[in-house]
Amino acid sequence: MNTLMIVVPCYNEEEILPDTVSQLTGVIKRLIDKDKINKKSGILLVNDGSRDHTWEIIAGAHSRNKFIYGLNLAGNVGHQNALLAGLNMLKDSCDMAISIDADLQDDVDVIEQMVDKYIEGADVVYGVRSDRTEDSFFKRFTAQSFYRVMSGLGVKTVYNHADFRLMSSRALKALSLYKEQNLFLRGIVPTIGYNSDCVYYSRKKRMAGESKYPLKKMVSFAWDGITSFSIRPITMISMLGLLIVFCSAISFIYILLSYFLGHAEPGWSSLMISIWFLGGVQLFSIGVVGQYIGKTYMESKERPRYIIEEFLNHEEEPQNGED
């Protein structure tokens, strides 16, 4: 029988974590009762350098609940690195792992469907939102725009999928071979190439606490995704440069004709518009190229993506878990 581990990255989640533990423990018990997973299955809570009592809650849950494991990172390394730390920790000790955010806005009831898809032969099962009716117009528009841009840049992603997914042991081992510092798991996982499937669900509202992805972080995350997987922005800048050169040549011909026909007049406005426009394009282009140079610089350092401070494991025969 298969071992399932659920990986939950946690950052300042003290308000919601007790309920998260309770709900996920219930899922594990139901699947064990149905003989779909074995009793070695559990939940790995990864503390991503929280500043509240998140780690204390994890340690307490571990001492009372045989299904709870804890991984404490030495500092805050970000959601993607924290998630990867948990997945790498389990790649040799479980048959499949499911990643889910601590707020449980992703529907835990479809976890059983994911396990069924794995049993049928899927190495990766994506949790895909069936609708975005709960989102504001702005969030819905920006999310859809992001996926369209990623698709247009040639990046393989799953539409309306975040980081709620099941991965088999061999998919986890394949994922561990990716060494880049600029992690964008939504783009990396589809490149693994193993057999995949999807389950669909409606996203819930957050039960407590605040979102750990405000607009600023969402924009930064989207930009990292684009620049980590595609060099097309640089190509587009080159094409834009050629277009401006072409337009400038036409303008030059027009100016010469106007001058020789006697229609040319000094134009402060047109001069300033041209200067500002070309200056803006140049600065933007330098900035984009600089982003790629900066990422190359960070990759060349080969610094560790995370450092583990403590791992809470059940080495002895565990007692009965809590409800």
Side-chain angles (χ1 to χ4, degrees), residues 82-102:
L83 177 54
L84 184 67
L87 295 175
N88 283 342
M89 176 64 69
L90 300 171
K91 68 180 187 296
D92 297 316
S93 59
C94 70
D95 298 296
M96 52 183 157
I98 291 177
S99 56
I100 188 170
D101 289 342

Side-chain angles (χ1 to χ4, degrees), residues 80 163 183-184 186 213 217-225:
Q80 298 288 278
D163 286 301
L183 280 180
F184 185 66
R186 302 179 197 184
Y213 264 93
K217 280 192 175 182
M218 290 175 62
V219 172
S220 176
F221 184 64
W223 180 249
D224 282 343

Side-chain angles (χ1 to χ4, degrees), residues 53-103:
H53 298 290
T54 293
W55 179 243
E56 288 80 358
I57 294 173
I58 293 173
H62 167 77
S63 65
R64 300 187 303 270
N65 187 335
K66 69 177 182 180
F67 298 117
I68 299 299
Y69 299 78
L71 184 64
N72 190 25
L73 302 183
N76 177 245
V77 294
H79 177 275
Q80 298 288 278
N81 282 313
L83 177 54
L84 184 67
L87 295 175
N88 283 342
M89 176 64 69
L90 300 171
K91 68 180 187 296
D92 297 316
S93 59
C94 70
D95 298 296
M96 52 183 157
I98 291 177
S99 56
I100 188 170
D101 289 342
D103 57 21

Side-chain angles (χ1 to χ4, degrees), residues 14-227:
E14 63 178 4
E15 296 180 49
I16 202 171
L17 203 51
D19 189 64
T20 300
V21 169
S22 177
Q23 287 196 46
L24 292 178
T25 298
V27 171
I28 293 291
K29 288 183 175 181
R30 288 194 296 272
L31 291 175
I32 292 175
D33 291 340
K34 293 181 179 181
D35 291 329
K36 293 189 176 182
I37 60 176
N38 62 37
K39 293 183 179 180
K40 294 181 180 180
S41 301
I43 304 153
L44 177 61
L45 303 173
V46 183
N47 179 41
D48 182 24
S50 298
R51 296 190 298 270
D52 60 6
H53 298 290
T54 293
W55 179 243
E56 288 80 358
I57 294 173
I58 293 173
H62 167 77
S63 65
R64 300 187 303 270
N65 187 335
K66 69 177 182 180
F67 298 117
I68 299 299
Y69 299 78
L71 184 64
N72 190 25
L73 302 183
N76 177 245
V77 294
H79 177 275
Q80 298 288 278
N81 282 313
L83 177 54
L84 184 67
L87 295 175
N88 283 342
M89 176 64 69
L90 300 171
K91 68 180 187 296
D92 297 316
S93 59
C94 70
D95 298 296
M96 52 183 157
I98 291 177
S99 56
I100 188 170
D101 289 342
D103 57 21
L104 296 190
Q105 288 185 271
D106 299 315
D107 189 359
V108 298
D109 291 333
V110 302
I111 288 179
E112 183 174 354
Q113 297 179 38
M114 288 181 163
V115 172
D116 290 338
K117 297 282 188 183
Y118 166 80
I119 294 173
E120 292 170 3
D123 283 287
V124 181
V125 183
Y126 300 102
V128 180
R129 295 180 62 174
S130 57
D131 61 74
R132 287 185 171 270
T133 55
E134 294 294 333
D135 291 347
S136 64
F137 171 78
F138 176 77
K139 188 172 183 179
R140 187 164 56 248
F141 172 77
T142 53
Q144 292 172 346
S145 299
F146 168 73
Y147 285 110
R148 291 193 181 100
V149 169
M150 293 293 282
S151 177
L153 293 176
V155 182
K156 186 178 180 181
T157 58
V158 178
Y159 186 70
N160 275 344
H161 163 71
D163 286 301
F164 182 32
R165 71 179 72 86
L166 177 149
M167 298 183 69
S168 68
S169 176
R170 73 167 186 159
L172 291 175
K173 291 174 182 176
L175 177 63
S176 69
L177 299 176
Y178 289 75
K179 302 301 182 181
E180 57 254 52
Q181 299 290 319
N182 299 286
L183 280 180
F184 185 66
L185 294 177
R186 302 179 197 184
I188 291 176
V189 174
T191 66
I192 293 176
Y194 290 148
N195 185 36
S196 64
D197 208 332
C198 297
V199 297
Y200 298 89
Y201 67 97
S202 295
R203 189 170 172 86
K204 303 175 183 177
K205 291 184 178 180
R206 187 181 177 90
M207 292 179 291
E210 297 180 353
S211 171
K212 304 305 182 293
Y213 264 93
L215 178 61
K216 181 179 179 180
K217 280 192 175 182
M218 290 175 62
V219 172
S220 176
F221 184 64
W223 180 249
D224 282 343
I226 291 171
T227 55

